[in-house]
């Protein structure tokens, strides 16, 4: 029996809640085979208010990882996460085009959670110009969507629609803006746009600080469902249910952070 194979090109969250760790946990829960290309290692300093350190993986090492997966195994879907340099964005875009890869999910990670300043401003330009046009789905949060759309911060559902149109016009086949609970709206809301129709995915807000890795997890769940043959709308619906359960079961990891719980949907079925 063939198992769908999914690649994540992303950073390592040493604390385990986000990045490549969140992707692999999601892939396992979604019953697809996860593979990785590690781009950066992110550490946290427990003696300095959990401040983040970002350590890039050398580009030749990234190239060798890509060769391992693309030449040695193959894949059914691919997602990107933190890409720490314009050179890395150029490399990933070139490989997608050269190999005509399908079911591409671009999660345009621009900052670490808890910060609001783009790590490298040129990466926003690279994502916008090189990777967004190759995306079957691009999955920005509100901050990232504003950056990709080159507009003011997103506060309302009307702002989300405006940003989605702008990002779609840059070449993405679908734009999935993760509004979550940070929008001026009574529900936790996400928006999917295909160039014609705005599809809204709403759930009740969950009052919790334990949301570390939620964006990565949501995007990884979409990628896994695409690898299994779902269309984008159905993949989004299933991913929304998955991340809602994971957020609802979030827990404190330490005094600084609390991740979502990737096994929550499975545990609720087994209960």
């Amino acid at each position: 029996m063939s198992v769908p194979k999914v690649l994540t090109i992303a950073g390592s969250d040493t604390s385990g809640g986000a990045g490549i760790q969140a992707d692999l946990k999601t892939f396992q829960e979604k019953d697809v085979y996860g593979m990785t290309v590690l781009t950066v290692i992110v550490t946290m300093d427990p003696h300095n208010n959990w401040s983040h350190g970002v350590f890039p993986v050398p580009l030749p090492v990234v190239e060798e990882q890509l060769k391992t997966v693309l030449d040695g195994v193959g894949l059914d879907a691919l997602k990107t996460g933190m890409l720490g340099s314009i050179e890395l964005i150029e490399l990933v875009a070139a490989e997608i085009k050269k190999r005509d890869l399908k079911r591409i999910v671009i999660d345009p990670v621009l900052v670490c959670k808890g910060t609001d300043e783009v790590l490298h401003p040129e990466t926003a330009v690279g994502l916008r110009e090189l990777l967004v046009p190759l995306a079957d789905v691009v999955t920005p949060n509100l901050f990232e969507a504003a950056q990709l759309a080159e507009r003011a911060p997103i506060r309302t559902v009307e702002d989300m629609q405006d940003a989605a149109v702008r990002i779609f016009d840059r070449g993405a086949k679908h734009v999935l803006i993760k509004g979550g609970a940070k929008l001026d709206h009574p529900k936790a809301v996400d928006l999917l746009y295909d160039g014609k129709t705005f599809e809204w995915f709403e759930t009740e807000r969950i009052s919790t600080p334990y949301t570390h890795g939620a964006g990565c997890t949501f995007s990884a769940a979409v990628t896994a469902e695409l690898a299994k043959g779902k269309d984008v709308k159905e993949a989004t619906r299933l991913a929304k249910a998955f991340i809602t359960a994971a957020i609802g079961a979030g827990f404190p990891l330490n005094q600084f952070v609390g991740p979502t719980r990737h096994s929550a949907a499975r545990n609720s079925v087994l209960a």
Side-chain angles (χ1 to χ4, degrees):
M1 180 178 178
S2 177
V3 178
K5 300 182 290 291
V6 184
L7 172 64
T8 171
I9 306 173
S12 168
D13 170 12
T14 303
S15 73
I20 241 162
Q21 287 84 345
D23 292 345
L24 286 177
K25 291 171 185 177
T26 302
F27 295 158
Q28 185 71 17
E29 292 295 329
K30 286 290 184 179
D31 198 28
V32 299
Y33 184 78
M35 301 171 289
T36 64
V37 168
L38 188 62
T39 58
V40 299
I41 297 172
V42 180
T43 62
M44 304 84 193
D45 186 352
H47 306 294
N48 187 23
N49 200 35
W50 211 238
S51 61
H52 289 58
V54 180
F55 303 91
V57 174
L59 197 63
V61 179
V62 176
E63 291 176 319
E64 290 301 314
Q65 293 176 82
L66 284 167
K67 186 188 303 180
T68 299
V69 175
L70 299 179
D71 291 344
V73 182
L75 51 84
D76 295 293
L78 175 155
K79 79 166 288 258
T80 66
M82 182 180 287
L83 304 175
S85 70
I86 187 65
E87 292 80 13
L88 184 50
I89 291 170
E90 290 171 343
L91 171 63
V92 172
E95 290 291 343
I96 291 172
K97 288 191 288 188
K98 179 175 71 176
R99 299 169 185 272
D100 193 26
L101 299 177
K102 306 298 184 184
R103 292 174 289 279
I104 306 300
V105 176
I106 303 299
D107 192 22
V109 177
L110 293 174
V111 298
C112 296
K113 186 176 285 291
T115 65
D116 58 3
E117 185 174 338
V118 176
L119 288 171
H120 302 287
E122 68 274 11
T123 61
V125 177
L127 286 165
R128 199 160 50 229
E129 296 181 354
L130 298 177
L131 282 180
V132 167
L134 303 177
D136 290 290
V137 190
V138 58
T139 62
N141 60 26
L142 297 179
F143 174 82
E144 294 156 353
Q147 293 290 315
L148 293 182
E150 296 184 282
R151 54 149 292 142
I154 296 169
R155 308 294 186 197
T156 67
V157 292
E158 291 79 15
D159 290 343
M160 287 180 77
Q161 289 178 314
D162 174 73
V165 170
R166 294 183 187 215
I167 297 168
F168 179 85
D169 287 345
R170 295 190 176 278
K173 295 182 178 68
H174 298 82
V175 181
L176 174 56
I177 299 180
K178 301 174 289 192
K182 295 184 178 180
L183 198 68
D184 182 17
H185 193 273
K187 300 287 186 70
V189 60
D190 305 295
L191 171 63
L192 178 65
Y193 180 62
D194 64 358
K196 297 178 181 178
T197 304
F198 295 106
E199 295 277 354
W200 295 96
F201 298 82
E202 295 184 346
T203 58
E204 296 299 322
R205 286 174 175 262
I206 299 172
S207 180
T208 175
Y210 308 133
T211 60
H212 181 55
C216 303
T217 298
F218 192 1
S219 298
V222 170
T223 310
E225 296 296 348
L226 293 178
K228 292 191 286 187
K230 301 294 193 300
D231 62 30
V232 173
K233 183 177 177 180
E234 179 66 1
T236 301
R237 184 188 69 80
L238 292 168
K240 176 73 169 178
F242 183 84
I243 189 56
T244 299
I247 291 173
F251 61 97
L253 189 65
N254 57 17
Q255 69 269 39
F256 302 107
V257 69
T260 66
R261 189 160 190 162
H262 295 85
S263 61
R266 169 170 50 87
N267 288 341
S268 67
V269 170
L270 295 175

